[in-house]
Each structure stands twice: as C-alpha cells, then as structure tokens.
Amino acid sequence: QELTAFGDKWQASWAYAELEESASFGPAIHKYGTVGGGAYNFVNQLLGGKLPNVHDTTADHARLKPASEYEKIDYPKPDGKLSFDKLSSVFLSNTNHEEDQPCHLRLADPELPIRDNLPEYAEPASRYCPAGVYEVVEGDDGTPQFQINFQNCVHCKTCDIKDPAQNITWVAPEGGGGPNYP
Ligand code: SF4
C-alpha cells in the first residue's frame, strides 16, 4: 500500500507553508553574501515570503575548494565547560550500532579518500563529520589509511551530501541502530 495521502496532507500543512516561505534563506546567503543575503531575507520575512525565490543550483559538494587555498585553522582545545570534544557529545546522543553489522557508510571507491581527497582536500570527512566517524590513521606500514568508525554515526547524512567526489552513500543500518536522544 502506498502512502499517497501523505504528500497531499504535507503540502496542505502549516509546516510546509512555513518552510516554503523561507526556502530562499540559504540560497540568498550563498548568492549575495552575508550582508546582501541577510538583507534579502529580512525584507522577505517582513513580506511573508513574497519576494521572487532565489535558487542556488550549485550542489554543496561542488563548492569545496582545495585545502591549498586556505590556512589551516588551529582550533583551541575544548575546555569541557562551554566547548566539548566530539566523542563526549556523541556519547550524550546514546548512539549505538551493533559492531558486527555491515558498515552502513558505503564507499563506491574505497581507495579514493586517500588517493584523491587526502592530497587535494586534506580529507574533509574527518572535519565535516560531527561524530568523528572518519579518520585518517597511520597503517602498520606507515602509510595513511582511511578508517570508518561507523558505530559513532549520528545519521546526519552530511557525508552523503558533502563528499566532493560523491563517493560516500549512507544506507539505513540494521534496525534500531543509531542515535537515541533521551
Ligand atoms: S551521516 Fe553524519 S555522523 Fe554519520 S558518518 Fe556521515 S557525517 Fe558522520
């Protein structure tokens, strides 16, 4: 049985109307910058979303630029009061996946992260993943290895969207696995 009524009810709901009014929020910031996009959004919200829509047709993954164009950011260590390390936050989300299940983060080309993404983008998955799932570690022979700690995945799907080569596919893990926010 197909849930055909779901689409119609969703489109008739207040939540759909509210999201539609702000559909241009992100695209306007991307296109016109923080100040110009902010001005567009301010006026648009005053007018209840009546300004012409702004479309952003460049996918997020296509906007990533090579690491060589940027200075490395030296983040201060988390102080445990106002800022926290990733893994203690993952712990709070009660995330759990049975360790013997197949990895639910599939790589189309397992060699690509180290072969292409590491030299060009300093392997971005180790930074954009909020749960520290992806790591570049040193193998026994001293060469870099791409490690996926899938047990920590909080199911945000950022990796599926952001990988510059679209090499990662998030698939549903075994039933019951994932974050369990109390
Ligand atoms: S879905 Fe989110 S938490 Fe899970 S591996 Fe991808 S980026 Fe990390």
Side-chain angles (χ1 to χ4, degrees), residues 63-82:
R63 289 187 176 271
L64 201 65
K65 294 186 181 159
S68 58
E69 294 182 19
Y70 296 92
E71 295 263 323
K72 190 174 177 202
I73 302 173
D74 212 1
Y75 291 103
K77 282 211 168 15
D79 62 12
K81 291 183 188 134
L82 292 175

Side-chain angles (χ1 to χ4, degrees), residues 41-150:
N41 286 316
F42 180 72
V43 175
N44 201 30
Q45 295 208 337
L46 286 181
L47 298 176
K50 297 280 188 309
L51 284 184
N53 276 343
V54 178
H55 297 281
D56 185 355
T57 50
T58 308
D60 265 6
H61 68 86
R63 289 187 176 271
L64 201 65
K65 294 186 181 159
S68 58
E69 294 182 19
Y70 296 92
E71 295 263 323
K72 190 174 177 202
I73 302 173
D74 212 1
Y75 291 103
K77 282 211 168 15
D79 62 12
K81 291 183 188 134
L82 292 175
S83 55
F84 302 89
D85 65 281
K86 287 183 186 178
L87 292 186
S88 46
S89 297
V90 169
F91 176 76
L92 292 178
S93 72
N94 282 328
T95 295
N96 186 42
H97 299 86
E98 294 295 332
E99 296 205 2
D100 59 356
Q101 70 174 268
C103 175
H104 67 283
L105 303 151
R106 307 267 166 86
L107 301 182
D109 176 356
E111 312 299 329
L112 188 141
I114 297 299
R115 187 189 64 223
D116 301 344
N117 282 354
L118 183 59
E120 188 160 8
Y121 301 106
E123 223 322 299
S126 58
R127 294 185 301 285
Y128 62 61
C129 171
V133 168
Y134 300 102
E135 285 182 292
V136 176
V137 296
E138 194 177 293
D140 293 339
D141 57 359
T143 58
Q145 312 279 329
F146 193 57
Q147 180 170 296
I148 305 179
N149 308 307
F150 74 88

